[in-house]
Amino acid sequence: MPFPRMLRIAAMAAISLMISAGSPALADEPIKVKVFIGSMFEIGQNTGDRAGEFQHWYERYFGQSKPVAVRGALNPVYCNDDGVCGSVLGMGKVASSSSVQAIILSPQFDMSQTYFIISGVAGTPPERGTIADVSWATWLVDYDLGHRWAPEEGEPGAPTFMPRKGYEKVRLFQLNPDLVAWAMHLTGKSNLKDSDSARSYRLRYPQKAARQAPAVKTGTHMTGDTFFHGPGMSAQAQYIAKLYGADDYLITEMEAAAIAQVVQRTLGDRRLLSLRGAVNFDQGNPNETTLQHLDPAPGQTAGGFAETVDNIAAVGSRMVDHIVAHWPEWQNGVPPLPRQ
């Protein structure tokens, strides 16, 4: 048999063997992701112990799912048969956004039509929110990009922050108003869990909003690696939000604006939501200093953590379930709201 013909026969046999053996070159199609849920931390295991940010999501959607390892992501991704995926991304702007980028760019997933829900716990100013509130972001603002100085080094009573030029496109993100409107349409009247400890803790604050029962709200989420506390820093966050033209500052968190930049660059940000639950106030009450609030004595912490992480998943899952159940209407973009 001529040698070239022998080579052709051998090559064809090798290809046939690769096909029958499931060669990586002919691997399964990537997972089509309809909704991706990203949380920042889990306290222990994904199920069976004290719940952090991801456990309730995991138990609702991923209890029978196998972990998918992704190079560059902090933790595995879990996906169910309905196209819902989720992962624990890591705390802070760098850890969380690098995990999201690794997951988006992984050939194991098709995220060309994915809706993102970035969820976790957060702080809130007592003038506008309370413990166990759940908030959908209207705007995401990066708290860190700018100039700051000590109060005694500027004009008395004047702001101690000035935006730095060059960051205009990465310091402010308006989330899709139509998508936020859908989220409020589906979840705005949700009955939220509360606790006796949270009710008692609220009474330490004189502000009307701080004393109210928890509710689903919308507002600006302030993203900062700086875990700021105190009335002065809270006022500065509101100053930045209004300086940039965003809504009132309602939530302080550490990831969403950075994740928004990654999603925007790779997929566009019209399918992104930020969902946060308030587990602390961003300042102490009038009878404690900021440092006392940061390092409370035993038994002096805000209650309601367990109820808040449950509220987050309960509210967010209504959005997830609606998108999945009505996927033909959602896959090509946010549909119009039904007429009232």
Side-chain angles (χ1 to χ4, degrees):
M1 182 182 296
F3 187 67
R5 186 181 176 192
M6 291 177 63
L7 285 177
R8 289 197 298 271
I9 293 173
M12 292 174 64
I15 291 172
S16 176
L17 182 62
M18 289 167 63
I19 292 173
S20 63
S23 164
L26 299 169
D28 293 337
E29 290 293 318
I31 298 170
K32 181 73 174 180
V33 184
K34 297 174 183 176
V35 181
F36 178 82
I37 302 158
S39 298
M40 311 312 141
F41 71 87
E42 186 50 59
I43 295 172
Q45 302 302 311
N46 286 334
T47 187
D49 57 5
R50 184 188 178 199
E53 291 183 339
F54 190 60
Q55 186 168 132
H56 291 301
W57 292 111
Y58 180 87
E59 292 173 346
R60 283 173 184 267
Y61 296 107
F62 311 122
Q64 304 302 315
S65 303
K66 295 181 179 179
V68 179
V70 177
R71 184 178 182 181
L74 186 63
N75 289 290
V77 176
Y78 298 89
C79 296
N80 68 13
D81 294 338
D82 293 325
V84 180
C85 296
S87 185
V88 178
L89 306 173
M91 294 179 65
K93 290 191 284 188
V94 174
S96 61
S97 62
S98 58
S99 289
V100 170
Q101 180 162 311
I103 293 166
I104 289 175
L105 297 180
S106 172
Q108 298 169 101
F109 308 104
D110 177 358
M111 292 191 154
S112 59
Q113 295 180 312
T114 301
Y115 290 88
F116 291 81
I117 297 180
I118 306 305
S119 75
V121 298
T124 190
E127 295 86 0
R128 289 177 286 278
T130 195
I131 305 299
D133 270 354
V134 174
S135 169
W136 297 101
T138 50
W139 297 81
L140 303 174
V141 172
D142 192 300
Y143 174 82
D144 299 312
L145 298 177
H147 301 277
R148 284 183 171 85
W149 52 91
E152 64 270 17
E153 295 167 358
E155 294 291 331
T160 59
F161 172 85
M162 180 173 64
R164 182 176 176 85
K165 293 182 179 179
Y167 292 118
E168 288 81 4
K169 293 183 179 180
V170 297
R171 71 190 185 197
L172 176 68
F173 301 88
Q174 183 181 20
L175 299 188
N176 185 344
D178 294 332
L179 187 55
V180 176
W182 259 107
M184 287 301 291
H185 171 74
L186 294 172
T187 71
K189 296 181 180 180
S190 301
N191 293 319
L192 301 182
K193 288 187 176 181
D194 203 356
S195 70
D196 290 339
S197 58
R199 294 186 189 97
S200 176
Y201 188 82
R202 292 187 191 108
L203 297 179
R204 303 181 182 195
Y205 288 79
Q207 294 91 338
K208 180 179 178 180
R211 292 180 165 224
Q212 290 180 343
V216 180
K217 299 176 179 177
T218 61
T220 292
H221 292 190
M222 188 71 59
T223 301
D225 281 322
T226 302
F227 202 105
F228 63 81
H229 270 264
M233 293 292 96
S234 182
Q236 186 175 97
Q238 174 71 345
Y239 170 76
I240 295 170
K242 306 316 287 185
L243 186 68
Y244 291 168
D247 293 331
D248 281 340
Y249 151 63
L250 183 61
I251 287 292
T252 168
E253 43 85 11
M254 302 173 65
E255 296 87 14
I259 293 172
Q261 186 175 167
V262 169
V263 174
Q264 185 184 70
R265 288 184 177 187
T266 51
L267 299 169
D269 61 5
R270 305 304 287 168
R271 298 184 179 215
L272 174 67
L273 287 165
S274 177
L275 175 66
R276 293 283 175 160
V279 294
N280 64 272
F281 292 114
D282 69 357
Q283 59 195 268
N285 65 69
N287 297 316
E288 64 182 342
T289 67
T290 296
L291 291 180
Q292 287 172 334
H293 182 67
L294 275 171
D295 187 20
Q300 300 301 306
T301 57
F305 183 92
E307 291 76 17
T308 304
V309 293
D310 196 345
N311 287 341
I312 294 167
V315 168
S317 63
R318 293 186 180 182
M319 191 70 187
V320 174
D321 294 345
H322 182 88
I323 292 173
V324 171
H326 300 86
W327 184 243
E329 289 82 18
W330 282 81
Q331 62 179 339
N332 294 320
V334 180
L337 271 172
R339 293 182 178 180
Q340 300 297 319

XYZ file of all heavy atoms in Angstrom, residues 24-117:
718
model
N -11.875 16.367 23.175
C -12.077 17.762 23.561
C -12.301 18.674 22.376
O -12.953 19.700 22.475
C -10.755 18.101 24.282
C -10.250 16.791 24.786
C -10.654 15.792 23.751
N -11.759 18.314 21.230
C -11.944 19.146 20.041
C -13.401 19.143 19.601
O -13.843 20.007 18.858
C -11.059 18.646 18.903
N -14.147 18.112 20.018
C -15.554 18.016 19.665
C -16.395 17.947 20.941
O -17.265 17.113 21.110
C -15.781 16.770 18.797
C -15.017 16.751 17.457
C -15.100 15.378 16.822
C -15.556 17.812 16.517
N -16.101 18.834 21.879
C -16.735 18.806 23.193
C -18.189 19.246 23.116
O -18.670 19.715 22.090
C -15.969 19.714 24.154
N -18.897 19.087 24.238
C -20.287 19.511 24.308
C -20.401 21.003 24.074
O -19.456 21.770 24.256
C -20.864 19.161 25.681
C -20.963 17.663 25.897
O -21.009 16.932 24.898
O -20.992 17.233 27.068
N -21.607 21.412 23.680
C -21.867 22.829 23.496
C -21.748 23.560 24.832
O -22.028 22.981 25.889
C -23.276 23.017 22.936
C -23.448 22.545 21.504
C -22.661 23.402 20.532
O -22.663 24.636 20.676
O -22.018 22.811 19.641
N -21.348 24.818 24.828
C -21.281 25.569 26.089
C -22.655 25.714 26.721
O -23.677 25.684 26.032
C -20.716 26.928 25.659
C -20.999 27.027 24.200
C -20.936 25.623 23.667
N -22.661 25.867 28.028
C -23.914 26.024 28.764
C -24.525 27.376 28.424
O -23.895 28.423 28.569
C -23.664 25.930 30.274
C -23.101 24.555 30.636
C -24.952 26.209 31.057
C -22.597 24.462 32.063
N -25.754 27.349 27.959
C -26.470 28.591 27.639
C -27.021 29.163 28.941
O -27.931 28.596 29.552
C -27.611 28.296 26.666
C -28.406 29.521 26.235
C -27.615 30.388 25.278
C -28.480 31.533 24.739
N -27.714 32.389 23.808
N -26.470 30.286 29.370
C -26.829 30.864 30.662
C -27.909 31.923 30.473
O -27.696 32.926 29.791
C -25.596 31.482 31.364
C -25.979 31.992 32.756
C -24.465 30.457 31.458
N -29.057 31.699 31.094
C -30.143 32.679 31.035
C -29.991 33.725 32.135
O -30.170 34.920 31.892
C -31.491 31.978 31.152
C -31.772 31.014 30.008
C -33.059 30.226 30.243
C -33.279 29.219 29.129
N -34.475 28.364 29.391
N -29.691 33.272 33.352
C -29.510 34.175 34.493
C -28.264 33.735 35.251
O -28.111 32.543 35.554
C -30.721 34.188 35.440
C -30.481 35.158 36.593
C -31.997 34.543 34.692
N -27.408 34.677 35.562
C -26.231 34.404 36.398
C -26.371 35.173 37.707
O -26.606 36.388 37.709
C -24.936 34.815 35.704
C -23.714 34.583 36.560
C -23.130 33.331 36.630
C -23.169 35.613 37.317
C -22.028 33.101 37.432
C -22.061 35.395 38.121
C -21.488 34.129 38.181
N -26.217 34.465 38.827
C -26.317 35.055 40.168
C -24.928 35.086 40.775
O -24.286 34.040 40.918
C -27.263 34.225 41.058
C -28.663 34.123 40.426
C -27.339 34.819 42.463
C -29.465 32.949 40.936
N -24.461 36.256 41.120
C -23.144 36.383 41.720
C -23.232 36.916 43.136
O -23.775 38.005 43.364
N -22.731 36.154 44.100
C -22.617 36.609 45.484
C -21.144 36.789 45.819
O -20.266 36.342 45.078
C -23.266 35.614 46.438
O -24.651 35.489 46.178
N -20.857 37.421 46.965
C -19.483 37.777 47.269
C -18.807 36.834 48.258
O -17.611 36.612 48.179
C -19.420 39.207 47.834
C -20.178 40.229 47.008
S -19.824 40.149 45.247
C -21.463 40.456 44.606
N -19.568 36.293 49.216
C -18.958 35.404 50.193
C -19.992 34.412 50.705
O -21.199 34.643 50.625
C -18.359 36.188 51.375
C -19.386 36.802 52.295
C -19.919 36.082 53.364
C -19.831 38.104 52.097
C -20.874 36.641 54.212
C -20.779 38.677 52.936
C -21.307 37.939 54.000
N -19.500 33.315 51.212
C -20.313 32.379 51.963
C -19.600 32.113 53.276
O -18.369 32.049 53.319
C -20.535 31.084 51.183
C -21.489 30.115 51.844
C -22.787 30.782 52.269
O -23.499 31.336 51.412
O -23.088 30.764 53.482
N -20.345 31.980 54.362
C -19.750 31.859 55.691
C -19.053 30.514 55.876
O -17.948 30.433 56.397
C -20.824 32.084 56.768
C -21.330 33.528 56.691
C -20.279 31.767 58.155
C -22.528 33.820 57.584
N -19.707 29.445 55.434
C -19.140 28.109 55.585
C -19.378 27.315 54.329
O -18.829 27.599 53.272
N -20.231 26.282 54.442
C -20.591 25.472 53.290
C -21.747 26.126 52.528
O -22.399 27.048 53.014
C -20.980 24.072 53.746
C -19.893 23.356 54.518
C -18.606 23.212 53.740
O -18.633 22.778 52.580
N -17.483 23.556 54.346
N -21.997 25.609 51.331
C -23.092 26.149 50.523
C -24.469 25.744 51.035
O -25.480 26.320 50.614
C -22.941 25.710 49.073
C -21.838 26.449 48.347
O -21.497 27.575 48.714
N -21.270 25.823 47.328
N -24.517 24.777 51.929
C -25.795 24.359 52.484
C -25.566 23.688 53.830
O -24.480 23.182 54.114
C -26.534 23.388 51.524
O -27.855 23.132 52.017
C -25.773 22.094 51.354
N -26.585 23.740 54.688
C -26.538 22.974 55.923
C -25.957 23.671 57.125
O -25.905 23.084 58.208
N -25.517 24.912 56.981
C -24.994 25.629 58.143
C -25.503 27.065 58.097
O -26.483 27.363 57.414
C -23.462 25.569 58.196
C -22.803 26.122 56.932
O -23.524 26.649 56.051
O -21.565 26.039 56.826
N -24.857 27.963 58.847
C -25.296 29.357 58.853
C -25.153 29.955 57.456
O -24.103 29.862 56.826
C -24.465 30.167 59.848
C -24.936 31.616 59.980
C -23.985 32.454 60.806
N -24.427 33.831 60.868
C -23.645 34.857 61.199
N -22.380 34.644 61.514
N -24.131 36.082 61.233
N -26.216 30.566 56.973
C -26.239 31.078 55.606
C -25.513 32.402 55.491
O -25.712 33.318 56.288
C -27.679 31.244 55.129
N -24.662 32.497 54.476
C -24.091 33.771 54.069
C -24.845 34.285 52.853
O -26.056 34.088 52.726
N -24.124 34.880 51.907
C -24.792 35.509 50.764
C -25.264 34.513 49.709
O -26.173 34.817 48.935
C -23.846 36.517 50.102
C -23.561 37.736 50.945
C -22.682 38.738 50.234
O -21.969 38.354 49.276
O -22.694 39.920 50.631
N -24.663 33.344 49.632
C -24.939 32.429 48.515
C -25.823 31.245 48.889
O -26.465 30.649 48.022
C -23.607 31.905 47.951
C -23.728 31.155 46.653
C -24.240 31.763 45.519
C -23.310 29.833 46.560
C -24.338 31.074 44.310
C -23.397 29.132 45.363
C -23.909 29.752 44.238
N -25.880 30.900 50.167
C -26.507 29.636 50.561
C -27.964 29.523 50.125
O -28.384 28.476 49.604
C -26.392 29.412 52.065
C -26.901 28.048 52.484
C -26.527 27.687 53.911
O -27.364 27.241 54.678
N -25.279 27.885 54.287
N -28.749 30.555 50.313
C -30.161 30.467 49.931
C -30.324 30.347 48.419
O -31.234 29.654 47.941
C -30.931 31.675 50.456
C -31.062 31.692 51.946
N -31.670 30.677 52.657
C -30.654 32.604 52.879
C -31.639 30.957 53.955
N -31.030 32.118 54.109
N -29.464 31.004 47.650
C -29.478 30.841 46.196
C -29.132 29.394 45.838
O -29.781 28.781 44.981
C -28.465 31.776 45.541
C -28.760 33.231 45.603
C -28.083 34.179 46.314
C -29.789 33.941 44.892
N -28.620 35.429 46.100
C -29.669 35.311 45.228
C -30.792 33.554 43.999
C -30.507 36.295 44.701
C -31.631 34.537 43.473
C -31.485 35.886 43.841
N -28.085 28.882 46.476
C -27.645 27.515 46.194
C -28.764 26.515 46.473
O -29.025 25.614 45.662
C -26.412 27.189 47.043
C -25.877 25.793 46.829
C -24.961 25.536 45.815
C -26.305 24.736 47.632
C -24.475 24.247 45.607
C -25.830 23.445 47.428
C -24.914 23.205 46.420
O -24.438 21.929 46.210
N -29.432 26.675 47.607
C -30.472 25.725 47.970
C -31.697 25.835 47.070
O -32.406 24.840 46.853
C -30.852 25.916 49.436
C -29.729 25.518 50.394
C -29.999 25.849 51.843
O -30.955 26.631 52.117
O -29.264 25.348 52.715
N -31.948 26.999 46.514
C -33.087 27.175 45.613
C -32.814 26.606 44.223
O -33.720 26.062 43.579
C -33.437 28.672 45.474
C -34.180 29.257 46.659
C -34.313 30.769 46.502
N -34.938 31.375 47.670
C -36.230 31.617 47.818
N -37.058 31.295 46.841
N -36.702 32.171 48.910
N -31.571 26.758 43.743
C -31.299 26.474 42.335
C -30.231 25.415 42.063
O -30.250 24.805 40.995
C -30.875 27.767 41.621
C -31.955 28.805 41.588
C -31.883 29.949 42.391
C -33.072 28.659 40.764
C -32.886 30.909 42.359
C -34.081 29.607 40.725
C -33.979 30.736 41.528
O -34.970 31.681 41.507
N -29.299 25.205 42.982
C -28.111 24.443 42.611
C -27.837 23.214 43.474
O -26.747 22.645 43.406
C -26.890 25.365 42.650
C -27.081 26.658 41.923
C -26.923 27.878 42.581
C -27.454 26.669 40.590
C -27.113 29.077 41.911
C -27.650 27.864 39.911
C -27.476 29.073 40.572
N -28.803 22.797 44.269
C -28.579 21.685 45.175
C -28.186 20.395 44.479
O -27.476 19.563 45.048
N -28.631 20.198 43.239
C -28.310 18.982 42.479
C -27.270 19.249 41.399
O -27.025 18.389 40.543
C -29.588 18.432 41.830
C -30.726 18.156 42.804
C -30.337 17.175 43.889
O -29.718 16.147 43.618
N -30.698 17.497 45.136
N -26.652 20.415 41.425
C -25.711 20.801 40.370
C -24.280 20.413 40.727
O -23.883 20.470 41.895
C -25.782 22.317 40.131
O -27.092 22.716 39.805
N -23.520 20.048 39.725
C -22.107 19.754 39.914
C -21.278 21.029 39.729
O -21.594 21.850 38.866
C -21.647 18.692 38.921
C -22.302 17.334 39.126
C -21.785 16.319 38.119
C -22.421 14.962 38.342
N -21.946 13.950 37.360
N -20.237 21.216 40.518
C -19.409 22.413 40.369
C -18.619 22.383 39.060
O -18.105 21.340 38.657
C -18.475 22.351 41.583
C -18.416 20.902 41.951
C -19.764 20.334 41.615
N -18.563 23.525 38.410
C -17.777 23.686 37.186
C -16.601 24.596 37.508
O -16.779 25.787 37.790
C -18.631 24.296 36.050
C -17.786 24.475 34.789
C -19.851 23.431 35.772
N -15.405 24.054 37.492
C -14.216 24.849 37.785
C -13.918 25.770 36.609
O -13.980 25.359 35.448
C -13.031 23.943 38.061
N -13.594 27.027 36.919
C -13.273 28.015 35.895
C -11.919 28.625 36.233
O -11.747 29.198 37.317
C -14.350 29.121 35.825
C -13.950 30.178 34.796
C -15.703 28.530 35.481
N -10.990 28.514 35.310
C -9.671 29.085 35.536
C -9.767 30.602 35.704
O -10.325 31.293 34.864
C -8.756 28.751 34.362
C -7.311 29.216 34.545
C -6.457 28.809 33.383
N -5.069 29.210 33.590
C -4.089 29.005 32.718
N -4.378 28.400 31.559
N -2.854 29.397 32.975
N -9.227 31.094 36.805
C -9.250 32.527 37.071
C -10.379 32.984 37.968
O -10.352 34.105 38.466
N -11.377 32.126 38.165
C -12.484 32.458 39.076
C -12.155 31.952 40.477
O -11.513 30.918 40.641
C -13.785 31.852 38.580
N -12.626 32.675 41.482
C -12.297 32.313 42.853
C -12.947 31.004 43.283
O -12.366 30.228 44.030
C -12.724 33.445 43.795
C -12.319 33.301 45.264
C -10.792 33.308 45.401
C -12.929 34.425 46.091
N -14.161 30.758 42.798
C -14.914 29.570 43.193
C -15.587 28.936 41.977
O -15.724 29.580 40.930
C -15.974 29.942 44.236
C -15.364 30.286 45.583
O -14.844 29.420 46.279
N -15.414 31.562 45.950
N -16.033 27.690 42.089
C -16.719 27.046 40.970
C -18.034 27.738 40.630
O -18.611 28.470 41.442
C -16.973 25.621 41.483
C -16.075 25.435 42.652
C -15.883 26.792 43.250
N -18.500 27.459 39.437
C -19.814 27.901 38.980
C -20.754 26.709 39.044
O -20.372 25.573 38.722
C -19.742 28.448 37.546
C -21.133 28.823 37.033
C -18.806 29.651 37.479
N -21.994 26.962 39.485
C -23.032 25.931 39.517
C -24.122 26.320 38.529
O -24.505 27.501 38.449
C -23.625 25.806 40.914
C -22.616 25.387 41.961
C -21.865 26.331 42.654
C -22.410 24.042 42.251
C -20.938 25.959 43.610
C -21.481 23.651 43.207
C -20.748 24.610 43.882
O -19.827 24.229 44.826
N -24.628 25.338 37.775
C -25.695 25.604 36.814
C -26.764 24.524 36.923
O -26.447 23.342 37.094
C -25.148 25.620 35.386
S -23.967 26.946 35.040
N -28.024 24.934 36.799
C -29.099 23.946 36.768
C -29.593 23.748 35.344
O -29.111 24.386 34.398
C -30.235 24.325 37.726
C -31.000 25.571 37.286
O -30.885 26.049 36.162
N -31.805 26.110 38.194
N -30.551 22.864 35.167
C -31.025 22.514 33.831
C -31.858 23.620 33.184
O -32.150 23.542 31.990
C -31.839 21.219 33.886
C -31.001 20.004 34.258
O -29.759 20.065 34.068
O -31.570 19.007 34.744
N -32.253 24.628 33.960
C -33.055 25.725 33.426
C -32.211 26.888 32.915
O -32.756 27.910 32.494
C -34.019 26.245 34.498
C -35.082 25.227 34.864
O -35.512 24.476 33.967
O -35.481 25.183 36.044
N -30.882 26.764 32.978
C -30.026 27.837 32.495
C -29.733 28.893 33.532
O -29.326 30.005 33.189
N -29.931 28.568 34.820
C -29.576 29.476 35.905
C -28.225 29.034 36.467
O -28.054 27.865 36.824
C -30.641 29.471 37.021
C -30.239 30.434 38.142
C -32.002 29.846 36.460
N -27.282 29.953 36.539
C -25.954 29.649 37.059
C -25.620 30.630 38.179
O -26.200 31.723 38.260
C -24.892 29.750 35.963
S -25.079 28.563 34.614
N -24.681 30.240 39.029
C -24.289 31.125 40.124
C -22.929 30.754 40.670
O -22.439 29.633 40.489
N -22.318 31.708 41.370
C -21.002 31.481 41.948
C -20.741 32.497 43.046
O -21.358 33.571 43.080
C -19.916 31.595 40.869
O -18.638 31.271 41.388
N -19.796 32.160 43.928
C -19.294 33.092 44.931
C -18.058 33.758 44.338
O -17.053 33.095 44.068
C -18.955 32.371 46.247
C -18.379 33.359 47.255
C -20.201 31.700 46.815
N -18.109 35.056 44.151
C -17.116 35.773 43.355
C -15.924 36.293 44.142
O -14.860 36.538 43.573
C -17.794 36.964 42.654
C -19.020 36.619 41.815
C -19.695 37.895 41.330
C -18.650 35.724 40.643
N -16.096 36.499 45.451
C -15.044 37.110 46.245
C -15.404 38.534 46.618
O -16.148 39.216 45.914
N -14.860 39.002 47.728
C -15.184 40.336 48.246
C -14.228 41.392 47.700
O -13.036 41.144 47.522
C -15.133 40.321 49.773
C -16.206 39.453 50.413
S -16.098 39.437 52.215
C -16.479 41.160 52.575
N -14.765 42.583 47.460
C -13.957 43.684 46.968
C -13.977 43.765 45.450
O -14.346 42.817 44.753
N -13.553 44.904 44.937
C -13.648 45.155 43.504
C -12.770 44.230 42.670
O -13.193 43.728 41.630
C -13.326 46.621 43.220
C -14.394 47.579 43.722
C -14.213 48.994 43.207
C -13.113 49.712 43.918
N -13.052 51.146 43.566
N -11.539 44.006 43.111
C -10.612 43.207 42.308
C -11.035 41.743 42.273
O -11.145 41.135 41.199
C -9.176 43.341 42.844
C -8.243 42.390 42.112
C -8.675 44.780 42.679
N -11.275 41.146 43.439
C -11.620 39.721 43.492
C -12.899 39.427 42.720
O -12.969 38.469 41.936
C -11.758 39.268 44.942
N -13.924 40.239 42.938
C -15.220 39.960 42.319
C -15.195 40.177 40.811
O -15.695 39.348 40.042
C -16.304 40.825 42.961
O -16.037 42.207 42.769
N -14.628 41.286 40.359
C -14.643 41.583 38.926
C -13.744 40.642 38.141
O -14.072 40.269 37.007
C -14.238 43.041 38.682
O -12.923 43.299 39.132
N -12.627 40.211 38.718
C -11.767 39.264 38.007
C -12.449 37.908 37.886
O -12.302 37.222 36.863
C -10.410 39.132 38.707
O -10.558 38.708 40.048
N -13.211 37.504 38.907
C -13.975 36.263 38.802
C -15.019 36.350 37.700
O -15.179 35.417 36.896
C -14.654 35.934 40.130
O -13.730 35.538 41.115
N -15.728 37.468 37.630
C -16.754 37.635 36.604
C -16.137 37.605 35.210
O -16.671 36.967 34.289
C -17.543 38.939 36.831
C -18.440 39.246 35.635
C -18.392 38.835 38.085
N -15.015 38.256 35.050
C -14.373 38.256 33.733
C -13.953 36.845 33.330
O -14.145 36.436 32.178
C -13.163 39.180 33.722
C -12.451 39.224 32.368
C -11.548 40.414 32.227
O -11.948 41.537 32.494
N -10.321 40.174 31.836
N -13.380 36.101 34.267
C -12.976 34.730 33.957
C -14.170 33.877 33.555
O -14.092 33.072 32.611
C -12.265 34.119 35.161
N -15.286 34.053 34.245
C -16.481 33.254 33.952
C -17.067 33.640 32.595
O -17.414 32.776 31.780
C -17.515 33.425 35.077
C -16.988 32.792 36.374
C -18.856 32.803 34.693
C -17.757 33.192 37.620
N -17.162 34.926 32.318
C -17.715 35.380 31.043
C -16.877 34.878 29.871
O -17.406 34.454 28.835
C -17.819 36.919 31.009
C -18.921 37.404 31.950
C -18.094 37.415 29.589
C -19.006 38.914 32.060
N -15.556 34.925 30.012
C -14.664 34.557 28.917
C -14.432 33.051 28.809
O -13.830 32.585 27.844
C -13.323 35.264 29.086
C -13.362 36.795 29.015
C -11.964 37.379 29.192
C -13.972 37.275 27.701
N -14.912 32.285 29.770
C -14.723 30.842 29.717
C -15.536 30.233 28.573
O -16.727 30.513 28.437
C -15.150 30.200 31.046
O -15.149 28.783 30.927
N -14.919 29.368 27.764
C -15.672 28.726 26.679
C -16.701 27.720 27.174
O -17.478 27.184 26.374
C -14.562 28.028 25.875
C -13.451 27.804 26.849
C -13.501 28.981 27.786
N -16.728 27.474 28.477
C -17.706 26.534 29.028
C -19.110 27.123 29.079
O -20.072 26.383 29.304
C -17.279 26.128 30.448
C -15.934 25.420 30.481
C -15.406 25.273 31.898
O -15.512 24.216 32.498
N -14.835 26.343 32.430
N -19.217 28.464 28.886
C -20.509 29.133 29.011
C -20.785 30.011 27.800
O -19.869 30.597 27.213
C -20.543 30.012 30.267
C -20.149 29.291 31.519
C -18.898 29.481 32.087
C -21.012 28.394 32.127
C -18.517 28.811 33.229
C -20.651 27.710 33.272
C -19.394 27.918 33.831
N -22.049 30.095 27.451
C -22.525 31.060 26.461
C -23.332 32.102 27.219
O -24.457 31.840 27.658
C -23.379 30.364 25.403
C -23.973 31.339 24.383
O -23.755 32.567 24.516
O -24.658 30.874 23.455
N -22.763 33.294 27.388
C -23.415 34.360 28.146
C -23.865 35.514 27.250
O -24.053 36.637 27.714
C -22.478 34.868 29.245
C -22.250 33.836 30.341
S -21.400 34.537 31.775
C -21.981 33.439 33.074
N -24.049 35.218 25.991
C -24.419 36.268 25.045
C -25.785 36.867 25.332
O -26.069 38.002 24.920
C -24.380 35.723 23.618
O -25.272 34.624 23.476
N -26.652 36.133 26.041
C -27.993 36.645 26.362
C -28.274 36.613 27.864
O -29.426 36.670 28.286
C -29.050 35.834 25.611
C -28.988 35.980 24.100
C -30.050 35.173 23.397
O -30.251 33.984 23.680
N -30.751 35.796 22.461
N -27.236 36.575 28.667
C -27.404 36.381 30.109
C -27.845 37.640 30.831
O -27.347 38.737 30.563
C -26.070 35.902 30.718
O -25.675 34.679 30.089
C -26.195 35.689 32.213
N -28.763 37.464 31.791
C -29.110 38.508 32.747
C -28.312 38.252 34.031
O -28.256 37.123 34.513
C -30.610 38.503 33.047
C -31.438 38.972 31.870
C -31.870 38.075 30.901
C -31.762 40.320 31.717
C -32.610 38.506 29.804
C -32.500 40.757 30.624
C -32.919 39.841 29.675
O -33.637 40.282 28.580
N -27.699 39.304 34.546
C -26.854 39.199 35.732
C -27.561 39.810 36.940
O -28.073 40.937 36.857
C -25.531 39.943 35.520
C -24.612 39.297 34.522
C -24.799 39.487 33.162
C -23.565 38.500 34.936
C -23.959 38.897 32.228
C -22.716 37.903 34.030
C -22.913 38.104 32.670
N -27.558 39.079 38.046
C -28.022 39.623 39.321
C -26.856 39.515 40.302
O -26.471 38.423 40.710
C -29.252 38.881 39.860
C -30.438 39.053 38.906
C -29.622 39.401 41.257
C -31.709 38.356 39.366
